[in-house]
Amino acid sequence: MPRLARSLANKFIVRTEDLEKTRAKMEALFNAGQVGLNDIEQDYSGLYLDIFTEFEITIENLFLGLLSGSLYSRKNLIERKAKIQPVSMTRAIVFGDRAYLDWLPYRDKTIERAEVYFVDGKPFTLLTSTQKSNLDEYGIIRNALAHKSDSAKKRFQKLINGLSLLPREKSPTGFLRSRPYSASTQTQYEITVWELIDMIKNLCG
C-alpha cells in the first residue's frame, strides 16, 4: 500500500529534533565550563555531517519511493516518464552498477537524475533558486568539514569572504556556531537545519 511522501519529511524532522537535543546539551555544558571549545566544535562538525547524511538519505528514499510507486504526494503532481517492472528492480536500475549514489551537489546530481525519470523533474525541481543556491553553500561547508583538502578549505574561505565574523568564527565549525544577525538567538547551524526542513517539506508535499 503506497504511503504519503510526507511520512519521510516527518521522519527527517524527528531526526533533526534528536540532533538538536544533543547540540543544546553541549552548549549548556560549554556555558557551564564543563566542556572545552574544541569539544563543542567537534560536536558541531559531527552534527552537521549527520544532518547532511540524513538529508541525502531522505532525498534518495523519496526518489526511489516516488519512482516505484510506494510513495505518493497529495500536493505535488508527480508523473513518471516510465514505470519500472517489477518494482523490486527500481533501485538496481537507478543505481546501475554503483554501490551508492551521490545526491549532492543538488543541481548536478539530484535534478539531473530526476529529469531522466520524472516529467519536468518534479518534485525535485520545485525548490526555489534561493534554496538551490543555499544547498550549494551548505555543501561547501560540509566538504570543508569532511574532506579538509586545500581545495575544500579554499572554497569555504571564498564563501565567508566579506562576512563580518570574529576570528574564531572563520573556521567551518566556528561559522556554524556563529549568529549571523546581531539580535538573533539562532546559530548558523540552526538556521541551516530549519531551511533543510523547509526543503524536505516542499519536496515531500
Side-chain angles (χ1 to χ4, degrees), residues 7 29 36 46 48 54 56 95 103 115-117 151 160-161 169 188 194-195 197 199 203:
S7 63
L29 291 172
Y48 193 80
E54 293 293 331
E56 287 195 272
F95 276 60
W103 298 91
E115 288 175 341
V116 172
Y117 292 97
S151 175
I160 66 171
N161 186 38
E169 296 172 346
Q188 188 65 57
W194 279 113
E195 291 185 350
I197 289 172
M199 293 178 202
L203 295 173

Side-chain angles (χ1 to χ4, degrees), residues 38-205:
N38 289 339
D39 296 319
I40 195 167
E41 288 193 344
Q42 186 62 39
D43 188 62
Y44 268 79
S45 177
L47 291 171
Y48 193 80
L49 294 176
D50 200 340
I51 198 65
F52 256 84
T53 298
E54 293 293 331
F55 184 83
E56 287 195 272
I57 289 173
T58 303
I59 293 294
E60 179 174 293
N61 289 339
L62 178 63
F63 193 101
L64 296 176
L66 292 174
L67 187 57
S68 68
S70 63
L71 293 175
Y72 72 98
S73 171
R74 284 179 178 166
K75 176 184 174 183
N76 301 322
L77 177 62
I78 313 298
E79 296 182 77
R80 294 171 287 178
K81 289 186 176 180
K83 293 183 180 181
I84 298 174
Q85 295 293 340
V87 293
S88 59
M89 290 297 294
T90 302
R91 183 183 182 90
I93 290 174
V94 174
F95 276 60
D97 59 357
R98 289 161 292 191
Y100 68 92
L101 293 179
D102 290 319
W103 298 91
L104 299 174
Y106 191 80
R107 303 176 209 251
D108 298 334
K109 301 296 183 179
T110 298
I111 290 183
E112 185 175 299
R113 192 171 291 129
E115 288 175 341
V116 172
Y117 292 97
F118 299 95
V119 175
D120 297 327
K122 293 180 180 179
F124 301 95
T125 51
L126 294 177
L127 294 186
T128 67
S129 58
T130 298
Q131 288 176 322
K132 294 170 188 174
S133 295
N134 286 345
L135 266 181
D136 290 339
E137 294 182 358
Y138 300 157
I140 289 172
I141 300 169
R142 191 270 303 267
N143 291 341
L145 290 170
H147 304 306
K148 304 185 187 301
S149 65
D150 288 340
S151 175
K153 290 177 182 178
K154 287 178 180 178
R155 292 192 70 192
F156 172 74
Q157 291 302 319
K158 184 178 179 180
L159 174 66
I160 66 171
N161 186 38
L163 297 180
S164 179
L165 297 169
L166 297 173
R168 68 175 182 271
E169 296 172 346
K170 293 183 179 181
S171 67
T173 48
F175 178 71
L176 290 174
R177 289 191 71 227
S178 69
R179 289 172 169 78
Y181 312 109
S182 58
S184 174
T185 59
Q186 287 191 315
T187 63
Q188 188 65 57
Y189 168 85
E190 291 172 274
I191 292 169
T192 299
V193 170
W194 279 113
E195 291 185 350
L196 291 177
I197 289 172
D198 283 341
M199 293 178 202
I200 290 296
K201 284 181 177 179
N202 190 4
L203 295 173
C204 291

